[in-house]
Amino acid sequence: MEHVKCLIIGSGPAGYTAAIYAARANLQPVEYCGLQPGGQLTQTTTVENFPGYPKGVDGNQMMMDLREQAENYGADIRDGEIVKVDLSHAPYKATAGDGTELEADTIIIATGASAKYLGLDDERKYNGLGVSACATCDGFFYRKKTVAVVGGGDTACEEAIYLSALAKKVYMIVRKPFLRASKVMQERIMSTDNIEVLFEHNTLGLYGENGVEGAHLVKRMGEADEEKVDIAIDGFFLAIGHQPNTGIFKEWLETDEVGYLKKIDGTPKTKLPGVFVAGDCADPVYRQAITAAGTGCQAAIEAERYISEHRL
């Protein structure tokens, strides 16, 4: 069994930043990148809100830059997934998909979260070409254009309101005859002139030549007065929630009702000594590259302190 001082599970801004800090602290970190090396940013196009890139940067390129930086300082970064952990006692044990077994003095969990999609083939077809799951990330590209937001909860309302300040018009596609959002959010939606709520609508598909140009909808699906409707849009935003990638840790760590890992007093610490969390797997609120990177830094610093204090 391979022994490591610091095992980082997951990549993206949180995992790679943790690897940079851990490597510079001489923890000789081993990082397993997961099924999607680089995380959600590899599904975006240009990232314009990460400091240090005055002209923006391709999401894939930024993740490759962070990975290269971590490797330059000595991080052992491996493609592959950790599929099983045993956190019953330290040193903690982990098993990779290829059968490699490791024991670690400290673990940093940075497995991120995955946006929920409707399951349409067109979502994959137009990914990065008009389909997005982050208005804060991509809304800037739709200034003075027409967009649609799918969802009826608080998140969808927040996304729609954010986009309404940029876009010419915002449709909300809501499958129920009402919004599930809080009353104050509902009032804000209804009082925003360029937001139109399409109640009792479901999305059947998207269309467009070189990107999203519109959406095929159905109103009152399955009812006697069912009606097919097409709307012209430039962007299609999913806001039906995120699913944190935390399944293998739930036996050992506390989560909220959705599955986000719980932190102690706002720190990267968990209830298990030497086990820390970073990034979107423990952040249901901000979910930004810069906040993920910041928590990756925090987790690595805590791991270094833990190893030092315990003379490991």
Side-chain angles (χ1 to χ4, degrees):
M1 182 174 292
E2 181 180 359
H3 182 89
V4 298
K5 285 186 177 181
C6 180
L7 173 63
I8 301 169
I9 304 176
S11 50
Y16 287 147
T17 302
I20 292 168
Y21 273 78
R24 292 184 72 253
N26 199 32
L27 300 189
Q28 291 125 26
V30 170
E31 177 177 13
Y32 275 82
C33 289
L35 290 177
Q36 188 179 18
Q40 293 184 74
L41 281 187
T42 60
Q43 294 184 311
T44 66
T45 51
T46 303
V47 178
E48 294 186 327
N49 55 5
F50 196 93
Y53 295 96
K55 296 182 180 179
V57 61
D58 177 80
N60 280 284
Q61 184 61 52
M62 189 172 83
M63 291 302 96
M64 287 191 290
D65 290 345
L66 289 179
R67 177 171 178 155
E68 182 180 354
Q69 186 175 355
E71 289 177 325
N72 285 345
Y73 286 112
D76 180 354
I77 300 181
R78 306 175 183 180
D79 292 325
E81 184 184 14
I82 295 295
V83 295
K84 182 181 178 182
V85 294
D86 179 355
L87 307 183
S88 57
H89 59 82
Y92 304 110
K93 295 177 175 59
T95 304
D98 63 0
T100 300
E101 294 185 327
L102 307 99
E103 61 176 15
D105 296 322
T106 61
I107 291 180
I108 296 173
I109 300 169
T111 47
S114 301
K116 294 180 181 177
Y117 286 81
L118 297 173
L120 305 173
D121 289 339
D122 288 339
E123 290 171 316
R124 291 189 294 272
K125 177 181 177 181
Y126 294 105
N127 191 21
L129 297 171
V131 172
S132 171
C134 180
T136 310
C137 308
D138 300 325
F140 182 78
F141 302 110
Y142 298 92
R143 288 173 298 172
K144 308 300 182 184
K145 296 184 178 182
T146 300
V147 299
V149 176
V150 180
D154 278 337
T155 298
C157 290
E158 288 169 1
E159 301 273 88
I161 290 166
Y162 176 84
L163 289 166
S164 71
L166 299 168
K168 176 176 65 178
K169 183 177 181 65
V170 179
Y171 290 105
M172 286 191 71
I173 302 171
V174 183
R175 62 186 178 88
K176 294 182 180 293
F178 57 86
L179 293 172
R180 294 182 293 103
S182 60
K183 187 172 179 60
V184 64
M185 293 302 296
Q186 293 184 43
E187 291 172 351
R188 289 181 66 189
I189 289 293
M190 297 307 175
S191 63
T192 303
D193 291 338
N194 63 335
I195 296 178
E196 180 180 348
V197 184
L198 303 176
F199 290 111
E200 297 185 273
H201 282 69
N202 285 270
T203 306
L204 297 177
L206 304 169
Y207 61 87
E209 289 297 321
N210 299 311
V212 171
E213 296 176 6
H216 300 299
L217 310 178
V218 58
K219 182 179 181 181
R220 291 180 56 79
M221 180 184 287
E223 301 296 328
D225 57 350
E226 176 181 297
E227 178 185 359
K228 298 288 180 63
V229 179
D230 283 357
I231 57 172
I233 56 173
D234 304 291
F236 185 78
F237 288 83
L238 282 302
I240 53 177
H242 284 72
Q243 184 62 48
N245 305 318
T246 57
I248 65 171
F249 307 108
K250 288 184 178 179
E251 180 182 353
W252 314 101
L253 296 172
E254 295 178 354
T255 68
D256 67 9
E257 64 277 5
V258 178
Y260 288 96
L261 295 171
K262 289 186 177 182
K263 300 184 284 188
I264 296 177
D265 299 329
T267 72
K269 298 178 181 178
T270 69
K271 69 175 185 177
L272 297 179
V275 178
F276 309 98
V277 294
D280 288 10
C281 66
D283 178 13
V285 179
Y286 299 105
R287 300 194 302 270
Q288 297 298 301
I290 189 64
T291 52
T295 57
C297 160
Q298 294 172 345
I301 289 174
E302 291 292 351
E304 191 278 329
R305 289 174 178 171
Y306 178 85
I307 286 173
S308 178
E309 290 168 3
H310 291 80
R311 302 182 185 278
L312 297 172

